[in-house]
Amino acid sequence: MIFKAIVFLPLLGALIAGLFGRVIGARPSEIVTTGLLLFAAVLSWIVFSRVGFDHEVARIPVLRWITSGELDAGWVLRIDTLTAVMLVVVTTVSSLVHVYSIGYMHDDDSRPRFFAYLSLFTFAMLMLVTSDNLLQMFFGWEGVGLASYLLIGFWYKKPEANAAAIKAFVVNRVGDFGFALGIFGIFYVFKTINFDAIFTLALDVAKPDHADHTIQFLGGTFNTLTVLCLLLFMGAMGKSAQFLLHTWLPDAMEGPTPVSALIHAATMVTAGVFMVARLGPLFDLAPTALQVVTFVGALTAFFAATVGLVQNDIKRVIAYSTCSQLGYMFVACGIGAYGVAIFHLFTHAFFKALLFLGAGSVIHAMHHEQDMRNMGGLAPKIRFTWVMMLIGTLALTGVGIPHLIGFAGFHSKDAIIESAFVAHTAYNYAFWVLVIAAFMTSFYSWRLMFMTFHGNTRAAPDVYKHAHESPSVMLVPLAVLALGAVGAGVAFAHYFIGNGAEAFWGAVFEGSPDSAGDAHGAAHDFPEWVAWSPAVAMLLGFALAWLFYVRNPSLPDATARAFPSVYKFLLNKWYFDELYDWLFVRPAHWLGRVLWRIGDGRIIDGLIDGTAATVGWVTGRIVKLQTGYIYHYAFAMLIGVALLITYFMLGGGLSR
Amino acid sequence: MFEGPQSFAPIIPEIILAIGAMVLLMYGAFRAPSENLGRDVGWFAILLFALTLGYLVLQPASSSFLFHDAFVVDRFARFMKVLVLVGASVALLLSFDYFARAKLMWFEIPVLMVLAVVGMMVMISSNDLITLYVGLELQSLALYVLAAIRRNDLRSSEAGLKYFVLGALSSGMLLYGMSMIYGFAGATGFQKIATAASAGDAGANIGLIIGLVFLLVGLAFKISAVPFHMWTPDVYEGAPTPVTAFFAGAPKVAAMALLVRVLVQAFPGNVSEWQQIIVFLSIMSMLIGAFAAIGQTNIKRLMAYSSIGHIGFALVGLASGSNDGLEAVVIYLAIYMVMTLGAFACILAMRRKDGMVESIDQLAGLSQSNLSMAFLFAMLLFSMAGIPPLAGFFAKFYVFAAAVKAELYPLAVIGVIASVVAAFYYLRIIKVMFFDEASEPFQPAEPYVRFVMWAAGVFVLAYVVVPAPLIDAASAAVRSLRFAPTP
């Protein structure tokens, strides 16, 4: 009951606000949706303690859904530690974002619609994380995609918002294409899409002498599990904005800032990580696929961090940071440390939501100004926001003392870096790339802090004069998230990745008891310098940012002038948008025009007109048969009998 | 074999209805004529239907045989009887206001409907050629009268007469076929015919096959399969609209049930022969139904061709001969009945101050004057056209899937083509309702009519979410048909 309540309360809220929002008004809509979500969040923490610490595992059937031939997909809530963690993350952040939005959106005209979308999103996300089979997961997957589309385009009168919404949708289609193929493939090979059954059957398929060990795909013969896992991972790349499919995430910042915090930082974009972790037992059997996951994750972590270095829009910096941190999580998944990946997902949700909501508070104070070049010196004006952003930055950059204590990001991110070292990738590339990315993370995070809050202001004088602290309905969620950003690492490290990990996770990442399960927590066997390297990278990044933006503010310009091509390359995000425009968008336009003019205009219309004329002629003949004379009717019947009898008399229809 | 009172339990529904019809007749005949008499009798009839329905639902799931195996009650029979009872009740419900306005609410109408339903239930339960014929004729005689009930109206009388004459012709052929079957099989019981037909080379006997052809022709007339359909448009148009709604639902279901039972239980060894006949009937019905409907301007005539087409689609499932196919037929009939009754409720709501209208043009701009009705009608039409995710899509999907599984590819392909052509005339009505210049609004619909409209609309919409009950019931029904223990 409690599980169903968690999942369906947000849906109830969405329906009330969505269908009756105009009738009951904006304020009641806000109260209903927010109240229901707060309640769901409280329930989630109860579930979290029951599942995580008392090891209650359950399958809650909701309804029989689709039974067709061999396909049997029920609607079942799968409750285990992984689900419980996700429930906590989703409902907590979502309820705080709901509260925050009451303040942030207070002068918007269509608040009921906004809150309905938010709650709808939460419902879809909960469907995703509670799924017990791939179809359910796909349902949630597309549900969050839809909600994301609606929310990015929430201000639908803004052309950029519409374009961004469509872009997000289309880019995700590319990933979903792979995901759908993966599901089809899984069904093709295993004849089932239920997780437990897949994990058990996959053990057999992994054996080299099994008939389904290899599969024909795109004209070649490949290892079945590798192909399936890579197809599924393609979906994860789309949703989690990984390298090549990342272009939609920065543009998605056109949506309202609470949306960015909820969907494009804390929850939806982590769905890919969740999917890989959920399917961990399957990925474990496909080492090649895991290597790809590691590589793509490391590449994204590095790439997004480089772009983050030079962006000027406060939200885009955080967006690229999100992209980069998701890369970290995938690296952890790729080396089999699913617990570490989920731990980073967990802490990241707190401090990244905090940073986004803090940025929202800054934007609110600056009357919807987002360019950091027009900010500066805001710390005294919005002291509380500044403290919150500072905590978020400390958490993101991973401030802490190795072996001792630190902010949330310190515990989780350093664990990933250490695991990457232990995993021994080729030339230890994963480790080094992540350390370099940590350095850049620190640099762009502090750059954001310094450009926004410190130094002399570059804002227009009247804007600066009127800069004001946000109302407390926006600040309280910040404070709660800050609590998480400070304490989530210390409080939960023991269970997620420490000595308590085995008991905490149970058999979540192991398909069946006899699968070769290695410790999925953080490894502890590494030289001392490895533990210190992220801290050093972090300090270097801070120092460099301080030098560039506090000590000597003319340095950035000078550097940019000294390396113009590098600067341009980064500023234009490695020219991905231009490349895709040239590669896909323009040919698609061209193809569309051709199909429209020639294909549709000449061929199809011609065919249709011809067919329509023929149908009309046939109809006319048949209608004429219906004369109204009874002897004609009787005659028709007799003709029919005669035909059938003749047919059989002549022996045509007899089988024996 | 001694049959005590205990063993009459399975036939109690028929007995209730038969006695009930007599009682209602007496009540109507001896009661002083008053305005409300017809309506009272009608409500009693609905009560009877409801009682019967409750009794049927509560009966145990096992199959039982009566009267030396001439009468069978199994899950298939019960399912079909429930459909018939629902169809008849709804049609009766729809008729109250119509007949009251036309000053036609005679108590004979409900009595005739009850008698027709008794006939249909006997048909559904028949396990012997004799029972089959008795049930069929009881039903048909009541229907002939119902078609001509508006005896002052030329079209209604003409419809009844045409129906009667052609029905007599089809009955003759049916009896001829039955006598030939008896001659060659030496029995009238379905199971005995099956045994005889599959023994040695008797099954290949051309005499038996010709008997089967004639039998099928008689039944094809009842389900109005092409080319035995010619009566349908005229009767649908001529009969009063609620009677047409009745014709389009329950009798079709009963006759299809009978057809399925005869073929599956009496001729299981001759699948390859009857399959060819069914394929022929099916293709012709789908095509003629689709093409001829395009040329219609009267909505009732259009519904006649629509029902011919739907029967063609249902026959696709039967043609496959597999359990999947039979299940698809059962589901198709259930969904078809709901859609048809809903559509007729909409047609009954087409009423202006100066009376009913039946021309499709009169629906112009309905969306502006009565959006909810236009929406519901459109929903039902979309469903009939087979547009997902509405119920009608699944009905078609199941029969085509069964046909493909049975490797009847040409049939499935022609079926899909026919459903595309058929979509045109459904969409045309929707286009008229939503995009044409508005004409004068209709009178507000009566509560019963509105209720039926909404119930049907909700059904076609909700089926995609909860298909399981219907599917489970249908598959249980078909299983009982297949594995009926030979008595």
Side-chain angles (χ1 to χ4, degrees):
Chain A
M1 197 58 228
I2 184 169
F3 305 109
K4 286 186 188 170
I6 294 174
V7 173
F8 289 106
L9 284 180
L11 178 66
L12 183 66
L15 288 177
I16 292 174
L19 296 179
F20 307 111
R22 282 175 187 222
V23 185
I24 59 177
R27 182 42 58 102
S29 305
E30 292 169 1
I31 292 172
V32 167
T33 49
T34 311
L36 286 174
L37 254 166
L38 282 169
F39 187 52
V42 171
L43 293 181
S44 296
W45 282 97
I46 296 173
V47 166
F48 180 66
S49 81
R50 269 174 34 188
V51 176
F53 303 127
D54 302 338
H55 312 296
E56 184 185 319
V57 179
R59 302 277 186 280
I60 319 279
V62 178
L63 52 86
R64 264 181 65 197
W65 194 15
I66 295 179
T67 314
S68 167
E70 287 167 319
L71 178 68
D72 186 1
W75 200 333
V76 180
L77 304 183
R78 181 190 177 98
I79 306 296
D80 56 16
T81 314
L82 181 57
T83 304
V85 171
M86 295 304 289
L87 286 182
V88 163
V89 169
V90 173
T91 54
T92 308
V93 177
S94 176
S95 54
L96 292 173
V97 165
H98 271 80
V99 174
Y100 180 91
S101 302
I102 294 177
Y104 190 84
M105 303 295 286
H106 69 91
D107 51 0
D108 200 286
D109 292 333
S110 29
R111 274 171 291 163
R113 187 162 63 92
F114 183 77
F115 281 84
Y117 287 169
L118 273 189
S119 282
L120 177 70
F121 165 79
T122 313
F123 166 69
M125 191 69 203
L126 291 171
M127 287 320 316
L128 200 167
V129 300
T130 53
S131 54
D132 191 43
N133 60 49
L134 282 166
L135 192 67
Q136 264 180 288
M137 188 184 253
F138 194 70
F139 173 81
W141 195 266
E142 294 303 313
V144 292
L146 168 72
S148 158
Y149 166 81
L150 291 172
L151 281 166
I152 296 172
F154 179 72
W155 287 318
Y156 56 86
K157 286 177 186 146
K158 244 169 63 176
E160 303 90 35
N162 276 331
I166 291 170
K167 187 172 178 183
F169 208 73
V170 171
V171 174
N172 268 297
R173 286 276 87 43
V174 178
D176 290 351
F177 178 66
F179 189 19
L181 277 186
I183 296 176
F184 302 155
I186 290 225
F187 183 68
Y188 173 72
V189 174
F190 299 117
K191 305 284 176 251
T192 176
I193 51 170
N194 295 317
F195 290 141
D196 291 325
I198 296 171
F199 298 156
T200 317
L201 292 171
L203 289 175
D204 287 335
V205 174
K207 292 183 186 124
D209 53 348
H210 192 274
D212 282 330
H213 184 67
T214 55
I215 193 171
Q216 298 283 336
F217 185 68
L218 294 179
T221 306
F222 301 98
N223 182 304
T224 307
L225 293 177
T226 306
V227 170
L228 294 180
C229 287
L230 285 179
L231 285 172
L232 293 171
F233 180 58
M234 195 168 147
M237 283 173 68
K239 192 111 304 186
S240 292
Q242 292 299 287
F243 190 70
L244 295 182
L245 295 181
H246 65 276
T247 51
W248 65 272
L249 184 58
D251 286 20
M253 297 302 131
E254 293 295 341
T257 306
V259 171
S260 310
L262 175 62
I263 301 186
H264 306 117
T267 54
M268 184 188 82
V269 289
T270 61
V273 181
F274 168 78
M275 185 237 271
V276 175
R278 173 55 87 207
L279 297 174
L282 190 66
F283 276 80
D284 275 343
L285 298 170
T288 321
L290 278 181
Q291 282 165 16
V292 174
V293 174
T294 314
F295 179 74
V296 170
L299 187 59
T300 309
F302 177 78
F303 151 78
T306 58
V307 177
L309 296 177
V310 297
Q311 296 302 309
N312 290 317
D313 183 315
I314 185 167
K315 280 178 71 182
R316 279 179 191 246
V317 175
I318 311 180
Y320 277 106
S321 162
T322 305
C323 203
S324 169
Q325 297 301 312
L326 290 168
Y328 275 84
M329 296 175 208
F330 276 113
V331 170
C333 286
I335 57 181
Y338 299 111
V340 183
I342 297 300
F343 187 41
H344 194 49
L345 188 164
F346 179 73
T347 58
H348 175 257
F350 288 108
F351 59 70
K352 192 50 69 66
L354 173 63
L355 282 171
F356 261 117
L357 294 184
S361 180
V362 172
I363 295 167
H364 191 76
M366 296 292 289
H367 301 282
H368 294 280
E369 174 64 73
Q370 303 197 6
D371 195 326
M372 294 193 296
R373 285 171 298 192
N374 299 331
M375 295 182 185
L378 287 174
K381 284 278 195 181
I382 43 176
R383 178 81 41 197
F384 188 84
T385 305
W386 174 70
V387 173
M388 293 298 123
M389 289 292 277
L390 188 62
I391 292 174
T393 303
L394 292 172
L396 170 61
T397 53
V399 171
I401 305 164
H403 308 305
L404 209 58
I405 195 165
F407 286 85
F410 161 76
H411 287 278
S412 54
K413 194 162 78 171
D414 286 19
I416 293 180
I417 295 178
E418 286 153 13
S419 305
F421 182 85
V422 178
H424 292 299
T425 47
Y427 305 107
N428 248 334
Y429 79 88
F431 168 73
W432 288 112
V433 167
L434 291 190
V435 169
I436 295 168
F439 160 71
M440 290 191 285
T441 304
S442 173
F443 177 81
Y444 66 64
S445 301
W446 288 110
R447 170 174 174 268
L448 184 152
M449 285 303 287
F450 295 143
M451 279 183 82
T452 308
F453 291 106
H454 300 271
N456 298 324
T457 186
R458 297 174 297 278
D462 56 326
V463 173
Y464 184 74
K465 209 168 86 191
H466 291 113
H468 56 88
E469 189 59 276
S470 306
S472 50
V473 71
M474 287 167 66
L475 299 180
V476 171
L478 287 181
V480 178
L481 287 170
L483 204 67
V486 175
V490 187
F492 293 107
H494 171 73
Y495 301 105
F496 278 77
I497 56 172
N499 296 328
E502 220 153 293
F504 179 73
W505 290 113
V508 170
F509 302 123
E510 290 153 37
S512 58
D514 55 323
S515 76
D518 43 354
H520 290 296
H524 300 285
D525 243 3
F526 46 82
E528 187 57 25
W529 61 269
V530 172
W532 284 93
S533 52
V536 171
M538 178 264 295
L539 285 174
L540 281 177
F542 171 74
L544 195 65
W546 181 78
L547 185 68
F548 265 49
Y549 293 96
V550 177
R551 182 66 203 269
N552 189 354
S554 63
L555 258 182
D557 275 347
T559 319
R561 269 198 301 279
F563 305 101
S565 53
V566 176
Y567 177 72
K568 272 262 167 64
F569 184 63
L570 294 182
L571 190 66
N572 286 302
K573 304 156 275 185
W574 292 29
Y575 292 106
F576 264 108
D577 282 335
E578 288 73 9
L579 184 70
Y580 284 175
D581 186 54
W582 180 79
L583 211 56
F584 301 118
V585 179
R586 280 189 213 172
H589 272 295
W590 175 81
L591 189 67
R593 262 197 310 278
V594 168
L595 288 179
W596 166 46
R597 293 248 170 85
I598 297 172
D600 190 55
R602 289 194 205 151
I603 300 176
I604 296 183
D605 277 2
L607 269 177
I608 286 178
D609 292 348
T611 314
T614 316
V615 168
W617 182 80
V618 172
T619 300
R621 297 271 129 169
I622 293 178
V623 170
K624 274 209 185 116
L625 287 178
Q626 197 78 26
T627 53
Y629 293 119
I630 200 162
Y631 59 92
H632 283 172
Y633 295 0
F635 185 63
M637 287 171 65
L638 291 176
I639 294 270
V641 180
L643 268 180
L644 286 171
I645 295 291
T646 314
Y647 177 65
F648 281 105
M649 288 288 266
L650 294 179
L654 291 180
S655 59
R656 283 167 285 184
Chain B
M1 185 167 67
F2 173 74
E3 288 178 332
Q6 191 69 39
S7 56
F8 282 113
I11 203 180
I12 283 182
E14 283 80 358
I15 295 177
I16 298 179
L17 285 182
I19 294 179
M22 297 306 145
V23 172
L24 288 182
L25 190 63
M26 292 303 126
Y27 178 80
F30 289 106
R31 186 82 202 239
S34 78
E35 281 229 334
N36 287 330
L37 184 58
R39 182 174 283 255
D40 293 345
V41 173
W43 277 114
F44 277 124
I46 289 183
L47 190 71
L48 274 179
F49 289 150
L51 265 178
T52 318
L53 196 107
Y55 185 85
L56 277 173
V57 172
L58 294 177
Q59 268 187 311
S62 59
S63 307
S64 36
F65 294 82
L66 276 179
F67 308 126
H68 298 281
D69 308 333
F71 189 89
V72 58
V73 178
D74 50 14
R75 293 188 73 149
F76 178 76
R78 271 198 291 277
F79 185 90
M80 288 302 179
K81 285 177 184 174
V82 167
L83 280 188
V84 164
L85 285 169
V86 171
S89 313
V90 172
L92 195 50
L93 202 61
L94 287 176
S95 68
F96 286 153
D97 292 303
Y98 178 93
F99 283 131
R101 247 180 293 107
K103 304 257 182 293
L104 259 179
M105 192 64 219
W106 300 328
F107 72 89
E108 287 92 341
I109 294 174
V111 173
L112 283 168
M113 277 176 142
V114 175
L115 285 172
V117 168
V118 176
M120 291 175 212
M121 289 172 60
V122 172
M123 279 160 72
I124 292 172
S125 270
S126 63
N127 198 34
D128 188 291
L129 293 177
I130 304 298
T131 334
L132 181 159
Y133 188 70
V134 170
L136 198 70
E137 281 309 290
L138 177 53
Q139 178 226 220
S140 301
L141 286 171
L143 293 187
Y144 299 148
V145 182
L146 273 175
I149 196 81
R150 232 160 74 183
R151 57 179 185 237
N152 301 325
D153 182 277
L154 206 58
R155 285 191 309 166
S156 181
S157 320
E158 184 188 332
L161 196 61
K162 273 182 184 169
Y163 191 22
F164 176 63
V165 171
L166 294 173
L169 178 62
S170 83
S171 275
M173 293 201 246
L174 184 83
L175 278 175
Y176 183 63
M178 280 164 50
S179 61
M180 285 193 77
I181 292 170
Y182 176 66
F184 283 92
T188 53
F190 288 176
Q191 276 78 16
K192 293 199 180 99
I193 295 174
T195 321
S198 52
D201 52 22
N205 196 312
I206 187 74
L208 189 72
I209 299 302
I210 289 181
L212 175 60
V213 171
F214 274 101
L215 182 70
L216 283 180
V217 166
L219 293 178
F221 176 84
K222 297 295 171 199
I223 57 171
S224 64
V226 178
F228 311 102
H229 69 291
M230 303 290 265
W231 59 275
T232 321
D234 292 8
V235 172
Y236 273 37
E237 190 186 358
T241 312
V243 171
T244 311
F246 180 57
F247 277 24
K252 291 272 162 68
V253 171
M256 271 301 269
L258 179 58
L259 183 60
V260 168
R261 191 186 288 284
V262 168
L263 290 180
V264 171
Q265 296 200 320
F267 296 95
N270 300 70
V271 175
S272 55
E273 280 85 17
W274 59 254
Q275 189 178 52
Q276 301 176 52
I277 305 175
I278 298 296
V279 167
F280 169 75
L281 295 176
S282 167
I283 291 180
M284 292 292 284
S285 304
M286 290 189 294
L287 290 179
I288 298 283
F291 280 100
I294 293 176
Q296 304 308 320
T297 52
N298 179 298
I299 188 120
K300 278 161 73 184
R301 279 187 90 82
L302 184 132
M303 285 304 292
Y305 285 107
S306 157
S307 80
I308 292 170
H310 279 299
I311 287 299
F313 291 118
L315 287 175
V316 171
L318 179 56
S320 76
S322 62
N323 269 11
D324 283 350
L326 297 181
E327 217 176 295
V329 175
V330 173
I331 296 174
Y332 200 103
L333 288 176
I335 293 177
Y336 159 76
M337 205 182 74
V338 175
M339 297 188 303
T340 305
L341 290 172
F344 271 102
C346 294
I347 293 171
L348 279 167
M350 291 169 60
R351 186 166 57 86
R352 296 254 159 74
K353 279 195 204 79
D354 44 353
M356 302 292 298
V357 291
E358 293 177 357
S359 165
I360 294 171
D361 302 336
Q362 302 286 342
L363 283 164
L366 182 63
S367 64
Q368 287 148 51
S369 57
N370 189 345
L371 183 61
S372 67
M373 175 181 160
F375 176 78
L376 285 171
F377 202 4
M379 199 60 61
L380 289 164
L381 292 168
F382 272 129
S383 177
M384 289 205 227
I387 311 277
L390 302 168
F393 163 74
F394 290 97
K396 285 205 172 72
F397 175 75
Y398 298 140
V399 291
F400 291 148
V404 168
K405 221 174 182 180
E407 301 185 349
L408 295 171
Y409 301 116
L411 182 62
V413 170
I414 293 176
V416 172
I417 292 175
S419 77
V420 171
V421 175
F424 169 79
Y425 61 81
Y426 295 122
L427 293 178
R428 187 172 58 126
I429 304 177
I430 295 171
K431 176 233 157 205
V432 169
M433 287 195 297
F434 281 81
F435 302 114
D436 281 9
E437 271 314 298
S439 50
E440 188 196 341
F442 293 130
Q443 298 289 98
E446 288 97 358
Y448 303 134
V449 171
R450 252 201 329 263
F451 166 75
V452 174
M453 250 191 259
W454 276 99
V458 167
F459 177 90
V460 298
L461 266 179
Y463 178 78
V464 60
V465 187
V466 271
L470 187 54
I471 295 179
D472 290 347
S475 91
V478 168
R479 262 181 280 124
S480 82
L481 196 60
R482 276 292 191 193
F483 302 114
T486 340

